[in-house]
Structure formats: C-alpha cells, structure tokens
Amino acid sequence: MRLIIAEKPSLARAIADALPGGTKREDGALRGHDTVVTWCLGHLLEQAPPDAYDSAYKQWRLDHLPILPTRWQLAPRAKARSQLAVIRKLLKQAREVVHAGDPDREGQLLVQEVIEYLGWKGPVARLLINDLNRPAVQRALSRMEDNARYQPLYRAAESRSRADWLYGINLTRAWTLTGRQAGHDGVLSVGRVQTPVLGLVVRRDAEIRDFKPYPFYVLWADLAVANGSLRAWWQPGEQQRLDEQGRLLERAPAEALAARLPGAEGRLTSLESRQKRQAAPLPYSLSALQVDAARRFGLSAQAVLDICQRLYERHKLITYPRSDCRYLPEEHLAQARATLTGACAQDETLRGWLAGADFTLRSKAWDDRKVGAHHALAPTGKPAELARLERAEADVFRLIARNVLAQFYPPLIAREVKAEFTILGERFRASGQELLQPGWKPLFTTRDEAPPLPPLSEGEGCRVTASAVEDRETRPPEPFTDASLIKAMMNIARYVDDPEVKRTLREHDGLGTEATRAGIIETLIERGYLVRQNKALRATRLGSGLIASLPETATRPERTALWEQRLTAIAERDDDPAPFLSALVDDLRGLLSKADTQRLRQAMAAAQGEAAAASPRTARRKSPGKRRRSRSEPGRSRSKPRRNA
C-alpha cells in the first residue's frame, strides 16, 4: 500500500479526487485501490517544553537560564494525538510513503518530522502541489521526486524551529521574571520576529510623538506661454534660509518677489523631455497582494491571507497563495489564454479586461530562473462565479486575475517634461507628463492623470498672469498601517543603518515570511502590544515599555533578517546548521546578561508618562484635509523624506 501524507485535509481531498478509481472515507484517511491518503492538521508536533528536559524547569527561575537542550525532543500537540495515531497505524501497513506537505520550508518540516517521529525507515517520495485542481494534481502525481532532495530544506526548517525555541523561551522567561521584580504582573513575550516588528512601530510612534512642526513657504506663478498656460514653482537660491530639503523658511523673500511678479516677462531657459516606458506590475506574491488589498479595500493582512486560503482550498480558484515569488513558470504561458478565459468568463469586469488582452505578448513575468518552490499567485482556470463569493473574496480574486491579465497588455508609454523658466533673474520650475499609450494602466486605475504641460520650445517667452505665496507646515511621518507594515517587513533593509548589513540584506530582504507576516501583526495585537486605531497600528504602553527595556539589538531587524539569510544558506547550499545554532547560543548569553529590573521599571514608567502626555495632543490634533496637488508642486510637507514603507 502506498501512503500519501498531506499537510492538511483539503490537500488530501484534492489528491484523493485525482486518483484513478476513487476513494472511500475511513477514520482519518481516504482509501483507494492501492493508495491511502491521510493528513496532518498543520503541525501535529511541536518542540517539547522545557520541563520535558528537566522537571525543575516547570518553575520559572532566572538561575535556570539559558535553557539549552542537548538532545532535542518533539511532543504531540494536544489536539493532534488521534490523527497521529491514525498515521502511526497506516505507516505500519505501508510499503512506500509520499510526503505531500506544502511546497515550502514549513510544509517540508511538518510532514517530515511526523514521518521521522513515528520511526519510518523506508524511502520517501516528495509530491509538490501548487494548484488543487484535478488536472494539476494529476500532473504533480506523475512527477514525484525523491524526498532526499529536500533534506536541506528540512534542516533549515528544523534549525528555525529550534532557534525560535531557544530565543523565545529564554528571553521571554528572563523578561517576564524581571518584569515581576519590577512590578509587572504578566508574561512579557519576546520573539525573534515579533519583537523587531514591534520595534518598528514603537520607533515610528516615537517619531510622530516627538515631531516638532515648523512653517515653510512656497511661491507659485501662473505663466502664459505661446501654446497655453502652466503653473511653475520658485526655486529659492542658497542665499535664502532653507532646510535640508531646500524649502524656504522665511516668508519675506517670497513676499518681496511675489510683489514684483505680476505682468513680469521671462524666458524658458531649460527644457528636458524624455519618453518613459513602463511594464505592467508583476503578478502577486502574498505580501504584495496584502499591501494592495489593504490600500484598496481596507483589509487586514490576516484577512487577505484567510481569503486567499479559501480561494485556494475551498473554491480552487487560485494557485498556492503563501508564495514569496512574483514570477510564473514558462510552461504556464502556453495555457494562459485558456486559463484566463475560464477564470474570467463569468464576471463582467474580468471579461472586459480579458477582451483587451493580447496573448501574443510575453512579459518578463514568465521566467523559470526566478521560480523556486512556489510561483506567483494566479487563477487556476476554474470558472469564477464571483457573485457567489463573499465581496472581499471577489475583490481579492479580481486583483490576482488582473495582475496576470496585465502581462498581456502593452507597456505604458508616457512623455515626461521638465521646464525651467528665468523670471526677474529667479528660477521657476514646472513638470508634467503626457500619456502616449495607456497600455495596462486602465486595469489599475480610472483616475484622470494631471494635465500635461502645453507644447514648449526652449527659449520661448512667458508672462506671469498670477502668483501667490502659500504657508505650509512640515508634517510627521504617517503611523504604520497593515499595508505599510507588511511592506516594511518585506523591505527591511531600508530600516537598517549599518551600510555593510544593509548591502548584505538587499539580496536576502525580509522580516518574517509570506506565511507568517499577517499572523505576527495579529499576535502583537492579541498580546496587547499593538492596537488598531481605524487603519493605523499603534504601540500600547506595554509594547513601548517592553521595547525600551530590551537591548536595542533585540528590537531591531538586523539579527532576524540575518537569521533568515543563514537559514536560506542551509536550505539552498546545504550548509551545516551547527555553527548557526552555536552562534545563537553565544548571542543569547549576551542578551540575557542585560535583563535588568531597574531598567524595565523605568521603561514602563516612561512609557506610561509618554502615553499620558501624548493623549491630549492627539485629541487636539486635527487631520488636515486633503488638497489636490499639481504634478509640478514641490514634495510633501515633511521634515525628513518619508521612508518607502
């Protein structure tokens, strides 16, 4: 008997449906002619608790730390014992075993650790399924590989699991016990990913809280030119008092120039024009989808993940969603027309987009070299009856289908123009963009672009018809939202100061994984470290106090991102995990030595004082109304350039 062990029941059902001759249900399994399909329920096993190694560890004590297992143990999860017993019984009857975990690091771990825990000694085949539709599953069943090929992936996942245990167990116990001594009654949870994510929010909140606005001034002039009119902006020179972004800090020079401008004549002294060609955005990874869905529909990252799981498992409308890849296999290109026609047939919006697609085009999205265990999210081709889906499910499905359809649209082509005028010896700048070919753009927005500049010729004259000085004020950075925090986790190197580390992380960017980022945000909320205020994510007093009490290195992303780099090396290059874990233990000892009762007490008190001081300011501060801004207007009113978060 061949035994296939799937990661979850939905995957097991899809495999059973693809087997010849059908299957019948029995306790914890689906039995076919010569094949039985059973399943895990996510992780059936977990790292054993500290007291499994020594009963003394049931009591939390600082003098026990660090707790360092010499021989690692796994333990069944409480709700998994019955399914584990089913798999144990079936393994005794099996002549061959097939590992059918999801095609990623965690999927490799959770099935393989069960197979090894239950003592199977025979060979194991690996079944990799990205798409739950029957033809795709049948193709996967015909292409099974030797599971030995994925041993490095398993070792990386196992190392991650052990490292997380060491880091979380020891630091959580240390800071919880120190917190009790400082008067805090409750667990202070510390994790290798959740704590740096909390640190990002705490530091952003501090920037907002400590921000000191100041005024600056801009001067614009409406100009009549040979073929129309435009608005240009004064560029004050170095003789004026400017901030680091070149903004004018005194009103008097702008007023003096404005008084001289009416009717003044000048000349176009510099004209730059260039044609810009922009390809369509790539198909989605999960994180990229979470960012867009949060911005467009106000969905939390966890809601998007849950929706994608339903579209994948229940409705079978999309391919495997927990992907960090934005490229598609080249073999999918030949079936793209049929796949998208099926997916779009029953929705008016999608049919309209499909009608404009040119399937003779090939974008850079189709690239086997950039596809690993996963490929980008894509429709499976099953007809999507969006009217029968929840509204949010239909919205997310349209986004996924749209980004694949966009690969069959021509590029957007625009002409960008920058003009500089000299008037009364002063420089004025204007810029505009003319859309020459919309290409894929109508699939993404229906908003009108700002009007282009009129036709211009270098050297032509101009005359000022109106002008004014505007009072502006710098604004603090925006608080994090689900969208911006997910994007920050994806592009964590931007939040690293050390230039060497920043360079290293550009190739191994990311805090957390596609599968865990949404859960990290929800965990921080559940533990009382973050709260949602409308769309904003803000740190609580408890969250701010915890970050202030920890060594800074435990609250910043460098260590965590470098962990991921080491784990990737284990998975891809078969590096030895031992040096990674040994270096972690040395690091852990240093962090534990910095647990300090007085520091924690002061941190909690300071966080409470800051929260109390910020509340009245927050209540008084009114959100400024949105004002439509010309393309040629100077940048946002901020004292610092906003990070692309």
Side-chain angles (χ1 to χ4, degrees), residues 404-425:
V404 179
L405 278 167
Q407 307 312 309
F408 299 101
Y409 275 70
L412 178 154
I413 301 176
R415 179 177 290 112
E416 292 183 341
V417 178
K418 295 181 181 178
E420 185 172 295
F421 297 84
T422 301
I423 306 168
L424 300 177

Side-chain angles (χ1 to χ4, degrees), residues 61-75:
R61 293 177 47 172
L62 285 170
D63 59 3
H64 287 159
L65 305 180
I67 299 170
L68 305 173
T70 54
R71 184 169 182 174
W72 288 89
Q73 300 178 34
L74 294 172

Side-chain angles (χ1 to χ4, degrees), residues 78-98:
K79 296 181 180 180
R81 293 183 184 278
S82 61
Q83 188 61 22
L84 202 60
V86 168
I87 299 173
R88 186 193 305 273
K89 178 181 175 183
L90 291 170
L91 279 172
K92 291 177 180 177
Q93 303 167 14
R95 69 171 186 277
E96 58 179 306
V97 171
V98 177

Side-chain angles (χ1 to χ4, degrees), residues 245-261:
Q245 293 188 41
R247 295 179 296 208
L248 183 66
L249 300 178
E250 295 177 328
R251 202 176 201 279
E255 287 181 327
L257 178 57
R260 299 164 53 208
L261 281 175

Side-chain angles (χ1 to χ4, degrees), residues 278-306:
Q278 185 178 348
L282 290 166
Y284 284 117
S285 64
L286 175 60
S287 290
L289 177 63
Q290 286 169 320
V291 170
D292 273 8
R295 288 175 173 168
R296 290 178 67 90
F297 307 122
L299 296 171
S300 72
Q302 185 64 47
V304 176
L305 176 56
D306 292 343

Side-chain angles (χ1 to χ4, degrees), residues 282-338:
L282 290 166
Y284 284 117
S285 64
L286 175 60
S287 290
L289 177 63
Q290 286 169 320
V291 170
D292 273 8
R295 288 175 173 168
R296 290 178 67 90
F297 307 122
L299 296 171
S300 72
Q302 185 64 47
V304 176
L305 176 56
D306 292 343
I307 287 166
C308 285
Q309 284 298 125
R310 294 197 297 273
L311 291 173
Y312 172 61
E313 294 179 359
R314 184 188 305 169
H315 304 298
K316 297 182 174 59
L317 291 175
I318 66 170
T319 56
Y320 180 75
R322 298 180 182 226
S323 173
D324 60 356
C325 179
R326 299 197 68 176
Y327 293 85
L328 293 165
E330 293 171 21
E331 71 170 2
H332 285 205
L333 182 58
Q335 288 86 40
R337 181 196 292 270

Side-chain angles (χ1 to χ4, degrees), residues 554-616:
T555 72
R556 299 192 65 87
E558 286 88 336
R559 173 188 285 103
T560 303
L562 289 169
W563 272 33
E564 286 298 326
Q565 185 181 349
R566 293 290 297 273
L567 292 171
T568 299
I570 294 169
E572 294 181 355
R573 299 199 299 269
D574 201 11
D575 283 9
D576 183 359
F580 165 64
L581 292 172
S582 177
L584 167 61
V585 170
D586 291 342
D587 195 16
L588 198 55
R589 293 183 191 278
L591 291 171
L592 290 170
S593 69
K594 295 178 182 176
D596 182 84
T597 302
Q598 184 61 24
R599 177 177 175 174
L600 199 150
R601 184 182 291 116
Q602 291 172 349
M604 290 296 181
Q608 185 169 9
E610 288 165 356
S615 295

